[in-house]
Amino acid sequence: MNRKYRKTVIAGNWKMNLTASEIKPFMEQLKPLLPKSRPCDVVLCTPAVMLPAMIKAGKDAKVAAGGQDVSKYEKGAYTGEVSAAQLADIGAKYCIVGHSERRQYHGEDDMLVNAKARVLLAKGIVPIICVGESLEQREADLTMEYVAYQVKAALHGIDATQLRRCIIAYEPIWAIGTGKTATAEQAQEVCEGIRAVIRKIYGARPARAVSILYGGSMNAKNAAELLAQPDIDGGLIGGASLKPADFAAIVAASDQ
Ligand code: 13P
């Protein structure tokens, strides 16, 4: 982290877990566990249908709500899709785009991720842009090349002012939901590389202001070491964000 230049963000990704009725009891447990003086921005990303409940329950605990996906289209005949305007209208402040599960199960490619990031920015929502390599790519020594491409493609056409409102999340696919966390050195190396890619496109100042999160089996035990890395500005947390005590411990670990 480097609080002088950028925000620390701890974001939970609930994926397709829990229900809207479980949010209130969850927040009642979470709120007293969160540190009084908040060391970071705290976000929980839920399925769109649960966002109104999350926004309501999160107000008091100062937990912002985020979506997990958005349509690239502004509006119209796209049955089942949710637009950036609809997310903004109900009060979502963040939205994940390009999560590896969407890339894998829904065929999302880098240009689609870019289009989604842009519609979110146009409606004032912070895109949390996910990138990350597979195990095969890591073993073939292609990690940085691949991740650099993903970052460049996702940021295509986004200007320096808009970049200030973007968050990048580095999530190595092999670490997601597997209990296999990247080591702090591995995570730092790629996050530093991502910042270097951004520096090349936008220059030093914008690059040092972008928050880059790590995601992939981050938990209450390993969070402090990961967050101590200079280019890791927070976490995108799956499994551990479903447990109030674990999630609160990760938030607390960002106070360093
Ligand atoms: P886990 O923390 O469960 O590995 O999930 C990470 C993730 O995919 C967050 O978006």
Side-chain angles (χ1 to χ4, degrees), residues 40-224:
C40 60
D41 287 2
V42 181
V43 187
L44 282 170
C45 298
T46 72
V49 71
M50 288 157 66
L51 281 170
M54 180 55 81
I55 289 160
K56 193 166 170 230
K59 256 187 201 135
D60 204 28
K62 294 204 185 76
V63 173
Q68 297 178 359
D69 186 33
V70 67
S71 174
K72 74 166 177 175
Y73 300 108
E74 263 183 50
K75 63 173 181 174
Y78 303 101
T79 304
E81 294 266 79
V82 174
S83 73
Q86 289 163 341
L87 289 175
D89 181 61
I90 57 163
K93 299 287 180 227
Y94 298 79
C95 186
I96 296 170
V97 288
H99 193 281
S100 63
E101 286 150 17
R102 292 216 57 88
R103 294 179 191 254
Q104 186 181 346
Y105 305 131
H106 301 272
E108 294 201 357
D109 63 19
D110 292 292
M111 296 326 287
L112 180 56
V113 174
N114 172 248
K116 290 183 173 191
R118 289 163 74 158
V119 292
L120 289 169
L121 287 165
K123 297 296 172 198
I125 297 175
V126 174
I128 303 177
I129 300 166
C130 300
V131 297
E133 81 287 2
S134 66
L135 189 58
E136 289 88 333
Q137 288 165 325
R138 176 159 283 270
E139 284 172 353
D141 207 12
L142 290 168
T143 298
M144 210 50 244
E145 234 169 298
Y146 181 66
V147 170
Y149 171 75
Q150 286 183 308
V151 171
K152 270 189 226 164
L155 295 177
H156 173 72
I158 290 174
D159 65 27
T161 315
Q162 291 172 314
L163 177 76
R164 294 175 66 98
R165 311 214 60 238
C166 293
I167 292 176
I168 309 288
Y170 167 56
E171 299 205 305
I173 298 169
W174 48 271
I176 295 176
T178 57
K180 263 198 229 163
T181 322
T183 63
E185 294 73 38
Q186 283 173 326
Q188 163 59 23
E189 187 185 15
V190 181
C191 291
E192 188 182 356
I194 291 171
R195 200 176 305 287
V197 170
I198 298 174
R199 192 180 305 122
K200 249 192 187 165
I201 309 172
Y202 297 93
R205 260 168 181 257
R208 79 179 180 203
V210 175
S211 297
I212 303 176
L213 317 184
Y214 167 79
S217 299
M218 191 188 256
N219 58 40
K221 285 209 179 97
N222 60 28

Side-chain angles (χ1 to χ4, degrees), residues 19-33:
T19 60
S21 352
E22 289 172 290
I23 291 177
K24 199 166 168 250
F26 179 95
M27 290 306 275
E28 280 166 5
Q29 282 188 56
L30 178 67
K31 195 184 158 197
L33 300 174

